[in-house]
């Protein structure tokens, strides 16, 4: 196809004659009755005229007339059938075309509709409409190599003059920008050869081939065709001055690692009349060595199936280490041909260009292609807007790109908040706030207003959620007004709107507003904000109460102090009362669930006993029952207590299944399953029997110490391994158990590599079953006596402890950054009480009834331990549970455990 095109293009005078033939060939490929011209009966008879005259020799005139009439009738009948079939197919295609056009008018980002419309219009021969459809699709999406080649071939077949040739050149220029396509570059070079007779034709051909080499000349498997086509072109120009160009092409090609380069070297030796220079030999040998390094990655691509993302990722990693920008760009482009819908690949490519190459045209081109391939990915649009601002593009172009982003159709509501924030930040950077008013400032304010309306109307209607529950856009606007415009009145109006949208119950929102007033407002409004916070906050009321008291202690009058004390005490008392009621309600629900579970258990036990009784009666009535079976049956009747114990155990289901299986096989098996308390003792004994592995201090560099884990974790290694394997290969996880076999809340995690251990430190404070996990370096204190140690500070109440966390966490002491968190060591166990849960499937009574916000499990409880101990409330396995005190009729106070005891418990190995 390419060779024929080049040949026809080099002979313009024969193009008009070749065009109908090409169209005829295209028609032959179409289905019957589609896009073909239907001849009438008269035209059919005329077309058959010469053939009819040949057969009329030796036939009478009357016979000829009859034959003519018969043939005319037959032709009329055949043409009518063909026309009917054509009309039916054409009508079907037209309806489908109308449907696709209507669908695209609703959603212009429907890729399959574009492809289907182009295919049908091409079949119908609607060339102008095909052009329009292709143009519209190419403006929204990048086209694949196949779609571009099909378009180019259609346009080449219709090009009849120099103006048409220029339009084809423009189409080629667009085609090579979408993806890296060696076949399109080859077609472009060969087509340009056909215009060599025009003014500047020779320079045009060389320019195309040189650009092709820059784009795909390094392609290990497909670059060879470009080099050979360029050499053949230069060799065809028989001039002495051109020989040096051929020499240069050979030498440039041999300096690049390409497949089959040995054959190229042999061809150069044969072609060249002079010995090959030593410098060329050295470059050739170096390229051969590089080829061996690249072969494993190329062979992996050849052996794998598309889209081969993992193989391309490995290839990219290798090229990034080598550091050749041209090759890095090439491998990214090759990977994107098959993985154009992978946003992470576009992000990595654009990030490399933004940080390393920083070439304006190249960077913006890649960003533009990225959002055309993956328009649903907000991160690509955000990076595109930042790149446009970074390279100084016109404000109108950036605004137009932002509008396109809004219509791209993001996946979730929060994506729209992110893109609005990026654009608003850009507008804020354009404003000169030294002026009281400016066009840029008014545009920024109007865009803030539009953003809020857009999120409320467009986003909420589509996703049934705002996407901005914390009102981040409003907070940004308020900060701009307060800090940059000195307009606290507007900032207060915005914060009033924020609080009325369901945020008044969160302490952090009030403290954010308070800090803004503190920095840019006045004391009176600070006091007003904190008084409102005390009344409205439901998650951390202790925090806002403490902030209010601190402010009044340093700035308020005696009357202000008395009022603050009164309001905070009243509020905290009401909060504690609400928590107690919530705990009672939760306990009642748990009790109801227990009763229901117990009832279900009794019903199942009765049904099971009845079934066994019927089974034993049927077995006794069977003839030929052996003595072993009778003895087994008698033994079961004589030991009903053992059977009941088995039914009440946690393993009753397994035992029943084994018993039924044994009866079916004609054998008897007696299973004695211990009660739950016995099982717990057995599990503890098994843990005690486990060999204790001493910590190897020589592996401290590849080991981290993990603490503050919930004591309720049954299998710490299974729970923690997926978390730490994300940082690297884990060699061993060594959880620490007590002598009773209970997990003590900390462990050692040993990695294969030191960098994995360093990366694992980033997991510090990660939530594990409702508690922040502490991850720290593993240090042998005997060898490092000066290492930062462990300390406990006991406060009188929880409020003071919370303030210590806020103020001290992250503080630097003697070049060491300390970490402060609220600790609550587990109390010693109270005398054992009867088991509450007896049914195997019934849920256990949760020891921690609520967190800091009623039922939240991911928050720290802020009720002081002193209050917890007064009611002797049951404790969570690794945290407080004050709410159950009201449900206990006779409270027995558990022995108190000091922080010193807790330290001994933690550090004891």
């Amino acid at each position: 196809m390419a060779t024929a095109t080049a040949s026809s293009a080099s002979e313009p005078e024969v193009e008009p004659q070749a065009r109908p033939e090409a169209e005829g060939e295209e028609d032959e490929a179409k289905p019957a009755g589609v896009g073909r011209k239907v001849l009438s009966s008269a035209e059919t008879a005329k077309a058959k005229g010469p053939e009819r005259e040949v057969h009329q020799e030796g036939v009478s005139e009357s016979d000829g007339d009859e034959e003519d009439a018969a043939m005319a009738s037959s032709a009329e009948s055949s043409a009518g059938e063909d026309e009917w079939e054509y009309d039916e197919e054409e009508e079907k295609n037209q309806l489908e075309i109308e449907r696709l056009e209507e669908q695209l008018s609703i959603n212009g980002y429907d890729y399959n509709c574009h492809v289907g419309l182009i295919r049908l219009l091409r079949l119908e021969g609607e060339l102008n409409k095909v052009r329009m459809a292709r143009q519209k699709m190419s403006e929204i999406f990048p086209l694949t190599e196949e779609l571009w080649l099909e378009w180019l071939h259609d346009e080449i077949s219709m090009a009849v003059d120099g103006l048409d040739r220029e339009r084809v050149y423009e189409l080629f220029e667009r085609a090579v920008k979408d993806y890296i396509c060696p076949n399109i570059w080859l077609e472009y070079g060969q087509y340009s050869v056909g215009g060599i007779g025009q003014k500047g034709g020779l320079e045009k051909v060389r320019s195309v081939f040189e650009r092709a080499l820059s784009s795909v000349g390094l392609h290990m498997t497909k670059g060879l065709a470009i080099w050979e086509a360029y050499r053949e072109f230069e060799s065809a120009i028989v001039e002495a001055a051109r020989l040096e160009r051929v020499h240069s092409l050979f030498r440039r090609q041999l300096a690049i690692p390409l497949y089959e380069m040995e054959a190229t070297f042999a061809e150069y030796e044969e072609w060249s009349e002079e010995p090959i220079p030593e410098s060329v030999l050295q470059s050739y040998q170096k390229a051969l060595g590089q080829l061996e390094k690249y072969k494993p990655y190329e062979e992996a691509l050849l052996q794998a199936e598309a889209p081969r993302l993992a193989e391309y990722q490995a290839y990219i990693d290798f090229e990034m280490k080598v550091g050749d920008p041209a090759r890095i760009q090439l491998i990214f482009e090759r990977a994107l041909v098959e993985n154009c819908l992978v946003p992470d690949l576009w992000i990595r490519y654009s990030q490399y260009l933004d940080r390393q190459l920083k070439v304006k045209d190249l960077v913006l081109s890649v960003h533009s292609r990225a959002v055309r391939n993956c328009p649903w990915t907000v991160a690509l649009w955000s990076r595109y807007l930042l790149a446009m601002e970074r390279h100084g593009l016109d404000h109108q172009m950036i605004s137009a790109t932002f509008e396109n982003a809004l219509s791209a159709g993001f996946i979730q509501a929060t994506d729209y908040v992110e893109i609005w924030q990026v654009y608003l930040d850009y507008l804020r950077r354009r404003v000169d706030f030294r002026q009281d008013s400016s066009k840029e400032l008014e545009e920024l304010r109007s865009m803030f207003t539009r953003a809020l309306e857009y999120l409320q109307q467009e986003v909420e209607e589509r996703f049934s959620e705002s996407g901005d529950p914390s009102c981040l856009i409003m907070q940004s606007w308020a900060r701009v007004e307060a800090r940059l415009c000195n307009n606290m009145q507007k900032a207060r109006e915005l914060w009033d709107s924020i609080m009325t949208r369901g945020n008044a119950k969160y302490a952090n929102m009030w403290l954010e507003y308070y800090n803004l007033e503190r920095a840019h407002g006045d004391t009176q409004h600070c006091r007003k904000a904190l008084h409102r916070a005390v009344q409205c906050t439901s998650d951390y009321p202790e925090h806002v109460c403490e902030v209010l008291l601190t402010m009044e202690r340093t700035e308020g009058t005696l009357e202000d102090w008395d009022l603050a004390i009164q309001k905070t005490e009243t509020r905290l008392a009401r909060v504690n009362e609400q928590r107690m009621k919530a705990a009672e309600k939760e306990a009642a629900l748990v009790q109801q669930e227990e009763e229901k579970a117990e009832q279900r258990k009794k019903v199942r036990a009765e049904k099971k006993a009845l079934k066994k009784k019927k089974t034993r009666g049927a077995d006794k009535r069977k003839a030929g029952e052996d003595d072993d079976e009778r003895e087994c049956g008698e033994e079961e009747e004589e030991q009903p207590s053992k059977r009941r114990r088995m039914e009440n155990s946690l393993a009753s289901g397994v035992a029943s299944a084994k018993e039924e299986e044994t009866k079916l096989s004609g054998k008897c098996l007696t299973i004695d399953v211990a009660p739950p308390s016995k099982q717990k003792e057995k599990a503890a004994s098994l843990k005690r029997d486990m060999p204790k592995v001493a910590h190897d201090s020589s592996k401290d560099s590849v080991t981290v110490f993990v603490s503050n884990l919930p004591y309720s974790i049954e299998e710490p290694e299974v729970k923690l391994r997926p978390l730490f394997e994300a940082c690297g290969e884990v060699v061993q996880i060594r959880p620490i158990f007590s002598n009773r076999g209970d997990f003590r809340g900390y462990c050692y995690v040993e990695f294969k590599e030191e960098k994995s251990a360093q990366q694992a430190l980033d997991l510090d404070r990660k939530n594990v079953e409702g508690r922040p996990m502490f991850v720290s370096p593993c240090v042998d204190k005997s060898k490092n006596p000066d290492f930062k140690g462990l300390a406990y500070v006991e406060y009188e109440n929880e409020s003071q402890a919370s303030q210590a966390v806020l103020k001290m966490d992250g503080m630097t002491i003697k070049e060491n950054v300390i970490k402060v968190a609220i600790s609550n060591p587990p109390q010693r166990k109270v005398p054992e009480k009867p088991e509450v849960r007896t049914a195997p499937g019934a849920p256990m009574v949760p020891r921690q009834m609520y967190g800091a916000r009623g039922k939240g499990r991911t928050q720290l409880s802020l009720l002081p331990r002193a209050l917890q101990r007064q009611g002797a409330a049951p404790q969570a396995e690794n945290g407080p549970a004050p709410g159950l005190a009201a449900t206990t009729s006779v409270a027995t106070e558990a022995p108190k455990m000091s922080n010193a005891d807790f330290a001994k418990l933690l550090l004891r190995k």
Side-chain angles (χ1 to χ4, degrees), residues 72 339 371 462 541 603 607-608 645 651 686 702 813 831 876 907:
N339 299 276
V371 297
R462 178 180 173 185
V603 172
K607 290 182 178 179
K608 193 173 183 181
R645 185 166 65 247
L686 289 175
V702 294
I813 299 179
L907 298 177

Side-chain angles (χ1 to χ4, degrees), residues 38-53 71 75:
V38 180
L39 301 177
S40 64
S41 59
E43 291 172 329
T44 305
K46 184 177 179 180
K48 292 180 177 290
E51 182 179 356
R52 187 182 66 238
E53 290 177 0
M71 292 182 66

Side-chain angles (χ1 to χ4, degrees), residues 51-326:
E51 182 179 356
R52 187 182 66 238
E53 290 177 0
V54 174
H55 291 285
Q56 280 181 344
E57 294 181 2
V59 181
S60 64
E61 185 175 356
S62 60
D63 293 339
D65 293 338
E66 292 176 0
E67 185 177 351
D68 288 343
M71 292 182 66
S73 176
S74 175
E76 255 184 39
S77 175
S78 176
E81 291 177 0
D82 290 345
E83 187 172 0
W84 180 79
E85 292 178 359
Y86 166 73
D87 290 340
E88 183 180 9
E89 189 68 25
E90 183 182 28
E91 182 179 1
K92 181 180 178 181
N93 289 341
Q94 288 297 330
L95 290 175
E96 181 65 13
I97 289 173
E98 293 175 2
R99 186 191 71 80
L100 292 174
E101 290 176 341
E102 182 180 0
Q103 181 68 21
L104 288 175
S105 66
I106 299 174
N107 179 18
Y109 285 89
D110 194 328
Y111 186 91
N112 293 330
C113 279
H114 282 286
V115 175
L117 180 61
I118 292 172
R119 180 183 60 82
L120 286 177
L121 290 175
R122 192 166 185 264
L123 286 176
E124 290 295 314
E126 300 285 350
L127 299 180
N128 290 331
K129 290 186 177 181
V130 171
R131 280 177 175 169
M132 294 176 60
R134 284 168 167 164
Q135 177 67 25
K136 187 176 295 185
M137 182 180 181
S138 66
E139 291 173 356
I140 301 176
F141 297 106
L143 304 186
T144 63
E145 185 178 61
E146 292 76 12
L147 290 175
W148 273 120
L149 288 175
E150 183 182 78
W151 189 357
L152 288 166
H153 291 162
D154 289 347
E155 295 294 342
I156 289 172
S157 66
M158 294 184 292
V160 295
D161 54 21
L163 185 61
D164 291 340
R165 176 172 288 276
E166 290 300 323
R167 282 198 292 264
V168 174
Y169 283 151
E170 293 176 1
L171 200 61
F172 269 114
E173 290 295 331
R174 293 174 56 189
V176 297
K177 291 178 181 178
D178 276 355
Y179 300 109
I180 180 171
C181 299
N183 292 334
I184 293 180
W185 276 112
L186 183 61
E187 194 79 16
Y188 191 8
Q190 292 178 338
Y191 180 73
S192 63
V193 172
I196 195 173
Q198 298 180 351
K199 183 179 180 180
L202 181 60
E203 289 73 14
K204 175 70 174 179
V205 176
R206 286 174 175 161
S207 173
V208 171
F209 273 117
E210 287 292 340
R211 291 169 56 204
L213 292 180
S214 299
S215 178
V216 297
L218 298 178
H219 200 296
M220 298 284 292
T221 56
K222 296 185 179 180
L224 182 64
I226 304 294
W227 287 99
E228 290 181 345
Y230 194 5
R231 287 204 324 272
E232 290 173 0
F233 165 73
E234 292 291 353
S235 299
I237 304 175
V238 186
E239 295 181 16
R242 308 294 186 232
L243 294 179
E244 184 59 30
R245 288 186 176 273
V246 180
H247 276 289
S248 176
L249 285 174
F250 267 118
R251 293 166 184 172
R252 289 166 59 189
Q253 180 180 352
L254 291 174
I256 297 174
L258 297 172
Y259 271 40
E260 301 180 8
M261 60 186 307
E262 296 89 347
T264 304
F265 182 77
E267 183 181 353
Y268 184 32
E269 284 185 318
E270 182 180 354
W271 181 85
S272 177
E273 297 178 355
E274 301 176 357
I276 298 178
E278 184 65 24
S279 59
V280 177
L281 290 174
Q282 292 178 357
S283 300
Y284 171 66
Q285 294 298 332
K286 182 179 179 181
L288 280 177
Q290 292 177 338
L291 179 62
E292 294 302 319
K293 296 179 181 179
Y294 285 107
K295 272 187 176 180
Y297 299 97
E298 292 291 343
E299 291 174 356
L301 290 174
L302 292 174
Q303 295 172 2
E305 296 181 358
R308 305 180 287 190
L309 179 59
E311 289 76 15
Y312 275 118
Q313 292 282 18
Y315 207 160
I316 291 172
D317 293 338
F318 172 75
E319 291 287 14
M320 294 284 277
K321 292 179 181 178
V322 175
D324 185 349

Side-chain angles (χ1 to χ4, degrees), residues 9-28:
S10 62
E11 301 173 4
E13 64 277 2
V14 301
E15 282 186 357
Q17 300 177 4
R19 182 181 172 190
E21 181 181 353
E23 291 179 354
E25 293 175 356
E26 182 180 339
D27 287 341
E28 290 178 3

